[in-house]
Amino acid sequence: MKKFKKTISVLLCLVLLLSLAAPIASAAGRCNCGHTPIIYVFGRSTIFDDPTSPDRRDLLDIGGDALTGMVKTGAPILAKAVVTNNYDDYCDFLYEQTAPLFADFTPNKDGTVTNGSGIEWSWSPETLYDSHKDDNVYSFVYHYDSRLDPCDIADDLNRYVEAVKELTGHDKVSILSRCMGCDMAFAYLAEYGWDDVETFVQYASAVQGTTILSDIFAGKIELNSKAIDRYFNENWIADDWQVNEILKATISVLNQNYTLGLTASAVNRIYAKIYANVLPRIMRASYGTSPGYWSMVAAEDYEQAKKLVFGDNTEEYAELIAKLDHYDATVRQQLKNILVSMHNDGVKLMNITKYGFQMIPITTSYNTVNDNKISVYHQSFGATTSPLDSCFDKKYMEKAKANGTDKYISPDKQIDASTCLSPDTTWFIKNLNHVSFPKCVNGLVSEIVNNKGFTVNSSAEYPQYLVFNDETKTISPMTAENMNTTERWNVSFFKALSNLLKSVFEMIKQKALELGK
């Protein structure tokens, strides 16, 4: 009996020693560097026909030749349609020309991809490299196939989070999500919660809708001559700068004498006749079977988009629609609830919104303040904005001052951040295009992640409103001197004509010099 009691005592002592050793061993593997590892959930990665092949092809690199050929070949078919007022043949032509361009890119009818196409990137716990102690914003960059179901991607992202925690010895990570990556990050949060997340940063977020894409899915197509003028005055059209200036000035001249407006109106009238016939077919043959791209449809457009894209084909696409509805119910409809709950649980929530450009001028959102693809309203979770071609009027400014919210209004009077979900932790950077993610923003991200309680009022270097300088590749506080108001778009007829004549003269002069040699 004594021997038995002695054995029990020894076993109890061993258990006690092991229980004490466990937290010691655990603490020994922990990292106390003070720099929470950042997982950067990327935007959209290139989709290749065969990611493993040295001769792989970008499946969305369609090229201008195919489109130019389509326009030339389709011109007589369109002309006949206009004369007869029967556009069926033209709709068939557009579909038959477009569908093959996306054949290898388009997912199956259930939203899966089985043709071997995909992204070049892959990961495993063994391939992760730890540089988080260097304050590296891009220590851990997570990629994904943007066509796939965000809720499936969330499963893999959860494994990635666990692997990063194990590698770095941290209990929590910070998530910096960019563009479509915000959709994937929110799917992860909806599926797995945020116990492992210390800071969550959205950067040019697409989760409330990529405005240009959402409009197209919902059929809200419209050309506007002023928007076309602004767009081509902001973007490089031709390789040669002289040709580029001539083209831009010519477009402005056409706009001023109403020719461009008449052309836009004619296109809009034709679109009204053909969209119900051809747009759903083209969408189902391109982006319309991709759960990933559907995640970028705004809540206000979702039901209309489903009705337009699938129409009477809901049974054929039943598995896909079930996935889309699941994302809608668990993620899209819960976005604000998720953010509020995260805030209440102590997670730092930050948002970086970009703007200062003309939206691609083919949809009804052409006059919204945006970053070329996504409106400020959608990116920022609710900021109020003026129309793109104007600013807040005197009455609005007086009301904001009376309410005490004028401090949230941008110096260019185009954005009122007071209506954001989290106005004190939402930054706006002007003149930063949607596809541009310069390193100069990393300083802001680092401050956000590493400084507890960091807000738009914490630093003179990073106030709520910033401006990006494309020449110096820097960001700085927005002032009256650098805010670059929309006056840059007010191109008069005489200014446009002057630019046109000047460019023509310079080209003639240059050619004369070349001939003289």
Side-chain angles (χ1 to χ4, degrees):
M1 187 69 177
K2 288 182 179 181
K3 188 176 181 181
F4 176 75
K5 287 182 178 181
K6 186 177 180 180
T7 303
I8 293 296
S9 299
V10 171
L11 289 174
L12 287 173
C13 288
L14 286 172
V15 170
L16 180 60
L17 286 172
L18 289 172
S19 65
L20 290 172
I24 294 173
S26 176
R30 286 175 53 82
C31 177
N32 297 310
C33 66
H35 299 278
T36 305
I38 301 172
I39 295 177
Y40 180 38
V41 186
F42 198 68
R44 288 175 289 165
S45 298
T46 303
I47 307 294
F48 295 105
D49 57 342
D50 181 358
T52 63
S53 170
D55 301 320
R56 59 183 179 269
R57 177 173 59 91
D58 179 352
L59 293 181
L60 289 182
D61 186 14
I62 296 172
D65 293 342
L67 299 178
T68 301
M70 190 186 304
V71 172
K72 289 181 179 179
T73 307
I77 304 174
L78 175 59
K80 180 181 177 181
V82 172
V83 172
T84 62
N85 199 33
N86 185 334
Y87 290 84
D88 290 347
D89 288 345
Y90 186 61
C91 289
D92 290 341
F93 166 79
L94 290 177
Y95 172 73
E96 291 164 2
Q97 292 292 310
T98 303
L101 300 177
F102 293 92
D104 294 330
F105 172 85
T106 307
N108 302 320
K109 292 180 180 180
D110 62 355
T112 61
V113 175
T114 55
N115 65 352
S117 61
I119 64 173
E120 184 179 10
W121 181 83
S122 62
W123 77 277
S124 69
E126 293 73 31
T127 60
L128 293 180
Y129 174 75
D130 183 12
S131 63
H132 81 281
K133 295 178 183 178
D134 301 330
D135 230 2
N136 183 3
V137 170
Y138 305 111
S139 292
F140 302 99
V141 183
Y142 181 81
H143 299 262
Y144 51 88
D145 187 329
S146 57
R147 298 170 297 177
L148 303 180
D149 187 350
C151 295
D152 288 339
I153 291 171
D155 297 335
D156 187 58
L157 180 54
N158 178 62
R159 289 189 287 271
Y160 192 83
V161 169
E162 293 300 323
V164 169
K165 286 169 52 186
E166 178 70 21
L167 176 67
T168 62
H170 281 261
D171 293 332
K172 292 181 180 291
V173 300
S174 291
I175 293 179
L176 168 61
S177 52
R178 154 185 168 179
C179 184
M180 192 183 193
C182 298
D183 304 35
M184 308 306 157
F186 266 100
Y188 159 76
L189 295 168
E191 297 282 340
Y192 292 94
W194 41 88
D195 288 345
D196 294 332
V197 181
E198 181 177 282
T199 304
F200 179 56
V201 184
Q202 295 183 72
Y203 187 6
S205 176
V207 74
Q208 284 219 120
T210 297
T211 314
I212 182 71
L213 179 141
S214 188
D215 283 353
I216 293 173
F217 266 70
K220 300 190 295 187
I221 308 295
E222 180 182 342
L223 294 185
N224 178 271
S225 59
K226 291 182 180 179
I228 294 171
D229 188 356
R230 288 198 295 260
Y231 183 79
F232 282 104
N233 268 280
E234 289 177 1
N235 292 276
W236 199 258
I237 308 170
D239 292 335
D240 186 278
W241 75 268
Q242 292 175 324
V243 175
N244 190 66
E245 290 304 307
I246 289 175
L247 288 172
K248 291 200 296 186
T250 302
I251 289 170
S252 290
V253 170
L254 291 174
N255 185 37
Q256 293 295 331
N257 67 17
Y258 304 108
T259 304
L260 187 58
L262 291 173
T263 303
S265 296
V267 172
N268 290 334
R269 286 195 296 272
I270 292 174
Y271 172 73
K273 295 176 181 291
I274 70 173
Y275 86 95
N277 184 335
V278 70
L279 184 61
R281 287 193 284 167
I282 290 177
M283 291 304 296
R284 292 196 298 270
S286 55
Y287 299 96
T289 59
S290 165
Y293 280 83
W294 271 97
S295 74
M296 295 191 287
V297 174
E300 62 269 24
D301 293 329
Y302 178 61
E303 291 300 331
Q304 180 178 333
K306 270 203 312 180
K307 184 177 180 181
L308 174 64
V309 172
F310 299 114
D312 297 328
N313 302 282
T314 54
E315 186 173 342
E316 185 179 357
Y317 293 91
E319 291 183 67
L320 170 63
I321 293 172
K323 293 178 181 179
L324 304 184
D325 285 342
H326 174 75
Y327 177 88
D328 182 61
T330 61
V331 184
R332 183 186 287 112
Q333 298 299 332
Q334 302 299 323
L335 293 174
K336 291 184 179 180
N337 292 336
I338 290 172
L339 289 175
V340 170
S341 297
M342 291 175 72
H343 173 75
N344 292 339
D345 289 341
V347 180
K348 292 192 294 182
L349 304 174
M350 308 291 176
N351 186 300
I352 300 173
T353 292
K354 305 191 291 188
Y355 78 108
F357 293 88
Q358 169 62 55
M359 184 83 73
I360 299 173
I362 60 173
T363 76
T364 55
S365 298
Y366 63 84
N367 208 28
T368 59
V369 177
N370 67 91
D371 68 355
N372 185 246
K373 290 183 174 63
I374 309 179
S375 73
V376 163
Y377 173 81
H378 284 127
Q379 289 181 66
S380 65
F381 276 76
T384 300
T385 64
S386 68
L388 178 63
D389 57 4
S390 62
C391 56
F392 295 131
D393 58 24
K394 183 178 179 180
K395 185 177 180 181
Y396 189 97
M397 296 298 295
E398 289 176 347
K399 184 178 179 180
K401 188 173 183 179
N403 293 337
T405 58
D406 54 320
K407 67 178 181 179
Y408 291 107
I409 294 179
S410 58
D412 61 9
K413 299 178 183 178
Q414 285 201 300
I415 300 175
D416 180 357
S418 68
T419 55
C420 290
L421 185 62
S422 52
D424 291 322
T425 53
T426 301
W427 285 260
F428 301 84
I429 306 177
K430 190 169 187 177
N431 297 338
L432 193 53
N433 193 289
H434 181 76
V435 298
S436 178
F437 293 86
K439 292 182 179 179
C440 61
V441 181
N442 293 357
L444 172 59
V445 174
S446 182
E447 291 286 348
I448 286 172
V449 172
N450 293 317
N451 292 338
K452 187 176 182 179
F454 193 77
T455 73
V456 297
N457 303 308
S458 298
S459 167
E461 186 178 3
Y462 300 117
Q464 184 148 55
Y465 293 100
L466 299 154
V467 171
F468 174 67
N469 187 314
D470 190 44
E471 292 184 3
T472 62
K473 307 299 181 185
T474 59
I475 56 173
S476 58
M478 185 185 296
T479 65
E481 290 72 31
N482 67 9
M483 64 185 183
N484 295 330
T485 64
T486 53
E487 290 177 1
R488 72 176 190 258
W489 291 324
N490 296 331
V491 182
S492 68
F493 173 84
F494 296 105
K495 184 177 179 180
L497 183 59
S498 175
N499 289 337
L500 175 62
L501 293 174
K502 181 180 178 181
S503 298
V504 170
F505 176 77
E506 289 294 329
M507 288 188 70
I508 293 173
K509 181 181 177 181
Q510 183 64 32
K511 291 297 181 183
L513 289 173
E514 291 175 1
L515 290 172
K517 294 179 180 178

